Amino acid sequence: MKHIIPQLLILGSIVSCNNKPMDHFVIRGSIPGAMDSTEITLAPHEDYKDRIEGYIINGKFELQGKMNTPTYCRLSMNNQDIVDKKKLKDEHLIKYTEIGFFAENGELTFQTPHIDSLPESFWRYDIRKEKNYTLKGSKAQNIFFRYQQQTIPLRHEIRTLERAYSENGRIEDFKTLQEQQSKLENLTKAFIQENRNLAVNLHLVEQLKKEAFTYDQAYLDELGELFISYQDTCAGLQQFRQYLQQARAYVQGKALQEGEIITPDGEKTSLLSQLKKDRYTVIDFWASWCGPCRASFPHLREMYQKYGEKVTFISLSVDKNEKDWQKALGEEKLPWNQYLATPELIKTTHKDYDLTSIPTFLVIDPEGKIIFSGHSSGELETTLASKCNI
């Protein structure tokens, strides 16, 4: 018996292309080993509210809906409620999987050998298991599937290195991670050039967007060239080209802007006055309540001991409560200069530096220009060791 969703739900999409859509789609799937009444949900990656819900019965499911264009979706399965209702105590019986593919109007068929062969969700996600399922009937997915298979080893290695670095903090792991990320970046650009599917290419190019001040104008121009031949007026392409224009404000070489900062003695001074013309400067944006910020201090201490004679270090707190900042200073006892950002300066950091989270590290060259922004102390040290020639 198949569970069929009777209504047709229109899925929204950030991409609108020239492909003439069919009336609707039907996804019929086979997932051996799935517990009866396991919930299954299909939703656009960008909008979970536009989801279609159903259940797996006898290892089968069927979902119906409409979409305007090929859309990258998430297919999720969760049997937690069934396990709880049956009062089953074996945690291994709980299955929570989430996978991604491109769906489009037409007859679609999903297959996998067994529910245990699918990648689990969140931190348990195993990229290598992406080879264990197929979706037939979608031209966009055929192309995306090729990209997945070509990049599985590299993406798995990257995830492994990310986990290793987060656990041990070895700078060698981070350098290797950057090398592998660069390889994936080049492979992704080559794949976009070779395959003429706008929906897939716009999805993949999202991976090529970089942090503010870690790219130059030439890099943005290169991304733009990947789509220069497209005449499509779809919303997704318009949004990407708008991103390229906005990203120009954060290319390497932008001058650090002036602002008032407060010393631990309560005196106001100028941010630019802290820069020295003969050396690089590191600005660490942090706050007393930010756990990751304070967790980065041991590594920053090591960098200060290693580079402190050639690089100026400044910590700039965005705390709203000065007492909290002062208390944290007493606890951390950091050996470099400490300042508190004024409310006026805090308001401008998003616009001037695209600062949306902390910790954020800026590296300023001897001419007062920003050459790096990031959130990882490992990437910061790599920048100091390579770009600054220290």
Side-chain angles (χ1 to χ4, degrees):
M1 176 179 178
K2 299 178 181 178
H3 183 91
I4 300 177
I5 302 300
Q7 74 275 17
L8 297 181
L9 179 63
I10 297 177
L11 293 181
S13 171
I14 63 169
V15 178
S16 170
C17 305
N18 286 327
N19 298 337
K20 185 178 180 180
M22 294 173 62
D23 291 336
H24 67 284
F25 68 84
V26 179
I27 298 181
R28 296 182 177 90
S30 173
I31 307 180
M35 188 177 294
D36 274 358
S37 297
T38 293
E39 295 179 359
I40 188 163
T41 302
L42 180 73
H45 180 58
E46 299 291 337
D47 190 357
Y48 188 73
K49 297 189 296 297
D50 259 350
R51 64 185 181 273
I52 300 173
E53 299 175 329
Y55 298 92
I56 302 173
I57 304 295
N58 294 329
K60 306 288 186 180
F61 74 89
E62 183 174 306
L63 300 174
Q64 298 186 32
K66 287 185 177 180
M67 59 180 61
N68 295 325
T69 63
T71 303
Y72 184 73
C73 298
R74 289 288 182 181
L75 187 71
S76 305
M77 285 152 272
N78 184 0
N79 69 353
Q80 179 76 61
D81 287 346
I82 305 302
V83 172
D84 291 344
K85 287 178 182 178
K86 291 185 176 182
K87 297 182 180 180
L88 303 175
K89 296 183 179 180
D90 187 353
E91 292 186 0
H92 293 92
L93 295 175
I94 299 174
K95 305 297 180 184
Y96 190 9
T97 68
E98 184 175 277
I99 57 178
F101 52 68
F102 273 87
E104 55 188 284
N105 289 338
E107 297 284 336
L108 308 177
T109 304
F110 179 87
Q111 291 182 314
T112 187
H114 194 274
I115 190 169
D116 290 339
S117 67
L118 296 174
E120 296 179 80
S121 302
F122 306 121
W123 68 93
R124 293 181 175 177
Y125 190 90
D126 188 341
I127 290 170
R128 294 170 296 181
K129 289 188 174 184
E130 289 178 358
K131 66 180 182 295
N132 296 337
Y133 62 88
T134 59
L135 182 77
K136 297 182 179 179
S138 167
K139 293 181 180 179
Q141 177 57 22
N142 290 342
I143 294 173
F144 184 65
F145 184 78
R146 290 205 305 270
Y147 175 82
Q148 284 182 303
Q149 305 314 298
Q150 290 176 19
T151 59
I152 279 175
L154 188 52
R155 288 186 292 120
H156 175 66
E157 184 177 1
I158 287 172
R159 177 164 287 202
T160 301
L161 288 166
E162 287 174 339
R163 289 174 177 170
Y165 176 70
S166 67
E167 292 174 0
N168 56 47
R170 289 199 301 264
I171 193 65
E172 293 79 11
D173 286 337
F174 194 86
K175 290 179 179 178
T176 304
L177 171 61
Q178 286 186 311
E179 292 172 358
Q180 299 308 98
Q181 287 173 331
S182 180
K183 289 181 182 178
L184 180 60
E185 175 186 303
N186 291 333
L187 192 154
T188 302
K189 285 187 287 189
F191 190 90
I192 291 174
Q193 288 176 319
E194 295 167 2
N195 294 275
R196 296 284 300 175
N197 186 291
L198 183 54
V200 174
N201 287 349
L202 285 173
H203 176 73
L204 293 179
V205 80
E206 290 294 311
Q207 302 177 45
L208 301 178
K209 294 180 178 179
K210 296 187 176 184
E211 291 280 350
F213 309 113
T214 62
Y215 56 85
D216 55 19
Q217 185 57 49
Y219 183 77
L220 295 180
D221 293 341
E222 184 180 10
L223 295 188
E225 286 289 329
L226 295 175
F227 294 86
I228 196 169
S229 62
Y230 287 101
Q231 301 301 316
D232 201 295
T233 59
C234 67
L237 187 54
Q238 291 177 359
Q239 291 171 10
F240 173 67
R241 287 173 173 160
Q242 183 179 13
Y243 155 77
L244 293 178
Q245 290 299 318
Q246 295 171 341
R248 293 169 64 94
Y250 306 109
V251 297
Q252 292 171 333
K254 179 179 180 178
L256 184 70
Q257 302 299 298
E258 183 59 284
E260 273 194 334
I261 54 179
I262 302 171
T263 70
D265 295 329
E267 299 292 331
K268 288 187 176 181
T269 186
S270 160
L271 175 60
L272 293 184
S273 68
Q274 309 308 307
L275 306 184
K276 297 183 179 180
K277 294 183 178 181
D278 61 342
R279 57 168 55 194
Y280 288 86
T281 301
V282 171
I283 301 179
D284 163 37
F285 287 91
W286 73 293
S288 62
W289 44 263
C290 172
C293 299
R294 299 180 72 163
S296 70
F297 286 155
H299 193 188
L300 286 179
R301 287 177 184 274
E302 294 176 5
M303 280 186 273
Y304 178 73
Q305 292 178 354
K306 188 174 183 179
Y307 304 113
E309 293 184 359
K310 298 180 180 179
V311 177
T312 298
F313 282 74
I314 296 172
S315 280
L316 188 53
S317 170
V318 296
D319 273 292
K320 295 181 178 179
N321 189 316
E322 185 174 349
K323 290 183 179 179
D324 292 340
W325 172 57
Q326 292 281 5
K327 182 174 181 293
L329 290 184
E331 293 169 348
E332 299 292 349
K333 295 181 172 58
L334 300 172
W336 56 86
N337 289 339
Q338 304 294 315
Y339 299 99
L340 179 67
T342 60
E344 294 77 17
L345 179 57
I346 292 176
K347 289 180 182 178
T348 66
T349 55
H350 176 70
K351 176 178 177 292
D352 289 340
Y353 313 121
D354 196 31
L355 195 151
T356 58
S357 64
I358 51 176
T360 291
F361 308 106
L362 296 184
V363 177
I364 319 299
D365 72 9
E367 297 179 354
K369 296 179 180 179
I370 306 170
I371 62 168
F372 167 81
S373 175
H375 312 290
S376 164
S377 59
E379 194 169 8
L380 172 61
E381 180 166 8
T382 302
T383 299
L384 293 179
S386 59
K387 293 186 179 181
C388 302
N389 297 317
I390 297 174

